[in-house]
């Protein structure tokens, strides 16, 4: 007998992604391609104390992994203080962050000291001119400096996330693997997803896991899958090994979704809890939090909601014949919670 909290598909509540801000200092074409955005009201943004309390209640219900994300998490003022507050929770045994790296060089040491254990840096291209065209930023050098600073600060098992898009960076797969190897990191190629915000998504721009493996196989020879054990079995990335032992991952959320083992959920910066990246609606946790609900009430809400979870968003998208962008821009403006940058990638 186990009292692990499970949803309708027996998936545990294990991993919580906390978006600490909906703001971002990049405008990646696959996430924030528009000129203007509707932001969450400032007064709705959870304070560090509110986030700390929510994490404690979630941890009481089984969450062991917490990942800070956004928007760009390093835009949240004084993030090391929040890291310190969460790291003190003895139930949280894995505290990580996903960042675009622009502001990492300055903050890496403080974050590490505060108790952040792992960092993933998004790096889609090694060519500054491509980043300028694709993410409207001339700060490629800052990202590289951030990666170097993270290593100096003692972050081991550094991961690099690369969203692979046909016609943009699909000719850089080997270069990114080589870069990661040279920087003691592991790259994870992500299939371009039709999440909210990806208003220019189309099927033909997706480079599938299969195609990536074919291209890399031609370059490197036989590529072996790395068999997942323990916690890794729930990880979204499938890992592979090149003949020389170098490993990399692929997150095939479009062609081979991992819904069946998905133990993740997301809390937005204003305290809305989403059980799936594709979910149409979230659960308002800010209202009970600010009304003065006690921990037991919050725990019951979380427990009952998770027990009723049926979401398999990415798998359901597989069945759509004329698959296009998930939301049009007017629908995103009507509710910014539908945006990937609000929900936290
Ligand atoms: N700003 C941080 C960053 O860039 O890593 C954290 C937030 S960002 C939304 C988190 C991750 O989501 C990034 O690795 C980004 O590449 C990924 N992402 C955003 N839009 C995506 C899309 N349409 N398909 C696949 N991955 C996407």
């Amino acid at each position: 007998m186990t009292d692990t909290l499970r949803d309708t598909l027996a998936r545990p509540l294990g991993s919580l992604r906390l978006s600490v801000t909906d703001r971002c200092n990049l405008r990646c074409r696959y996430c924030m391609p528009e000129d203007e955005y509707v932001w969450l009201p400032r007064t709705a943004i959870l304070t560090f104390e509110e986030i700390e309390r929510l994490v404690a209640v979630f941890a009481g219900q089984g969450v062991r992994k917490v990942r800070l994300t956004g928007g760009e998490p390093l835009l949240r003022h004084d993030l090391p203080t929040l890291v310190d507050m969460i790291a003190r929770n003895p139930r949280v045994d894995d505290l990580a962050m996903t960042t675009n790296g622009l502001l990492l060089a300055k903050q890496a040491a403080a974050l590490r000291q505060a108790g952040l254990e792992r960092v993933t840096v998004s790096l889609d291209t090694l060519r500054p001119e491509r980043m300028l065209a694709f993410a409207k930023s001339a700060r490629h050098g800052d990202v590289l400096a951030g990666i170097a600073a993270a290593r100096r600060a003692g972050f081991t098992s550094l991961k690099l996330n690369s969203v692979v898009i046909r016609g943009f960076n699909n000719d850089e797969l080997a270069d990114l693997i080589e870069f990661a190897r040279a920087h003691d990191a592991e790259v994870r190629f992500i299939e371009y997803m039709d999440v909210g915000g990806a208003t220019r998504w189309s099927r033909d721009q997706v480079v599938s896991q299969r195609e990536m493996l074919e291209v890399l196989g031609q370059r490197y020879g036989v590529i072996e899958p790395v068999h997942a054990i323990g916690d890794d079995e729930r990880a979204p990335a499938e890992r592979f090994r090149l003949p020389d032992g170098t490993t990399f991952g692929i997150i095939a959320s479009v062609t081979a979704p991992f819904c069946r083992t998905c133990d993740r959920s997301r809390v937005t910066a204003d305290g809305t809890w989403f059980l799936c990246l594709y979910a149409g609606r979230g659960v308002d946790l800010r209202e009970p939090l600010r009304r003065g609900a006690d921990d037991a009430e919050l725990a019951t809400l979380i427990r009952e909601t998770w027990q009723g979870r049926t979401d398999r968003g990415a798998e359901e998208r597989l069945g759509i014949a004329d698959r296009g962008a998930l939301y049009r821009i007017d629908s995103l403006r009507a509710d910014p919670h539908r945006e990937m940058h609000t929900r936290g990638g």
Side-chain angles (χ1 to χ4, degrees):
M1 271 292 285
T2 168
D3 64 353
T4 303
L5 177 57
R6 292 188 185 269
D7 71 6
T8 61
L9 298 173
R11 298 169 297 188
L13 171 73
S15 157
L16 189 67
R17 302 171 85 86
L18 282 174
S19 174
V20 294
T21 177
D22 57 334
R23 306 279 169 153
C24 194
N25 44 6
L26 286 184
R27 287 292 178 271
C28 301
R29 197 171 169 279
Y30 52 74
C31 190
M32 300 185 75
E34 308 299 328
D35 292 328
E36 281 177 28
Y37 283 93
V38 175
W39 306 108
L40 298 175
R42 278 185 191 276
T43 51
I45 304 297
L46 299 186
T47 63
F48 285 177
E49 287 70 23
E50 288 170 330
I51 295 174
E52 179 189 32
R53 178 146 174 246
L54 275 187
V55 169
V57 178
F58 272 105
Q61 296 307 308
V63 163
R64 294 291 171 266
K65 297 171 103 173
V66 174
R67 178 171 290 270
L68 304 176
T69 179
E72 171 46 41
L74 295 179
L75 286 176
R76 180 80 188 241
H77 182 64
D78 203 14
L79 196 67
T81 298
L82 178 65
V83 167
D84 178 66
M85 290 161 82
I86 298 174
R88 284 174 195 277
N89 187 320
R91 287 185 164 128
V92 175
D93 52 38
D94 183 24
L95 180 55
M97 176 181 71
T98 303
T99 173
N100 62 31
L102 287 187
L103 301 170
L104 188 56
K106 269 196 183 149
Q107 301 194 45
L111 289 162
R112 179 83 190 131
Q113 245 177 352
L116 189 68
E117 286 157 281
R118 297 190 299 122
V119 174
T120 300
V121 180
S122 297
L123 179 72
D124 301 320
T125 177
L126 295 172
R127 306 194 193 173
E129 72 283 5
R130 284 191 174 175
M131 181 170 168
L132 183 59
F134 215 76
K136 298 185 188 159
S137 171
R139 297 177 58 188
H140 194 263
D142 290 347
V143 181
L144 301 190
I147 292 170
R151 283 181 64 208
R152 278 198 306 277
F155 286 105
T156 50
S157 61
L158 196 67
K159 289 196 183 115
L160 303 176
N161 273 359
S162 307
V163 180
V164 181
I165 299 186
R166 192 179 311 288
F168 163 56
N169 62 348
N170 54 316
D171 56 350
E172 289 191 65
L173 300 184
D175 292 349
L176 286 160
I177 286 182
E178 300 296 327
F179 177 90
R181 175 171 35 207
H183 291 80
D184 227 355
E186 183 172 290
V187 67
R188 299 174 338 154
F189 298 117
I190 306 176
E191 289 180 353
Y192 180 19
M193 294 170 72
D194 54 345
V195 285
T199 47
R200 301 186 189 171
W201 187 91
S202 61
R203 186 69 184 80
D204 56 305
Q205 295 174 81
V206 178
V207 181
S208 67
Q209 160 164 301
R210 192 174 162 175
E211 186 179 339
M212 291 187 222
L213 288 174
E214 269 170 24
V215 169
L216 290 169
Q218 280 162 17
R219 158 88 186 240
Y220 290 105
V222 178
I223 297 174
E224 307 271 6
V226 177
H227 294 293
I229 38 169
D231 241 15
D232 282 353
E233 289 172 54
R234 292 201 170 273
E238 249 189 89
R239 293 177 69 232
F240 299 91
R241 187 177 289 116
L242 300 180
D244 74 354
T246 305
T247 52
F248 65 96
I250 300 182
I251 303 181
S253 311
V254 177
T255 63
F258 58 95
C259 301
R260 293 298 160 129
T261 57
C262 179
D263 66 347
R264 305 168 153 205
S265 63
R266 306 174 140 78
V267 175
T268 60
D270 70 347
T272 311
W273 183 33
F274 286 92
L275 306 188
C276 174
L277 199 46
Y278 288 93
R281 298 176 70 94
V283 177
D284 183 0
L285 298 178
R286 187 181 75 251
E287 187 280 325
L289 201 59
R290 292 194 175 167
R291 159 168 55 75
D294 61 14
D295 286 358
E297 185 185 335
L298 288 168
T300 302
L301 175 59
I302 289 168
R303 215 175 165 77
E304 289 179 356
T305 305
W306 191 263
Q307 281 167 338
R309 180 183 187 239
T310 57
D311 301 69
R312 297 184 301 112
E315 279 182 2
E316 281 164 4
R317 300 286 298 162
L318 271 178
I320 299 173
D322 56 344
R323 191 167 170 178
L326 181 63
Y327 294 117
R328 288 164 40 144
I329 184 62
D330 44 350
S331 141
L332 294 169
R333 290 207 173 113
D335 183 1
H337 288 103
R338 294 176 176 148
E339 296 272 9
M340 174 79 153
H341 70 264
T342 307
R343 211 161 270 204

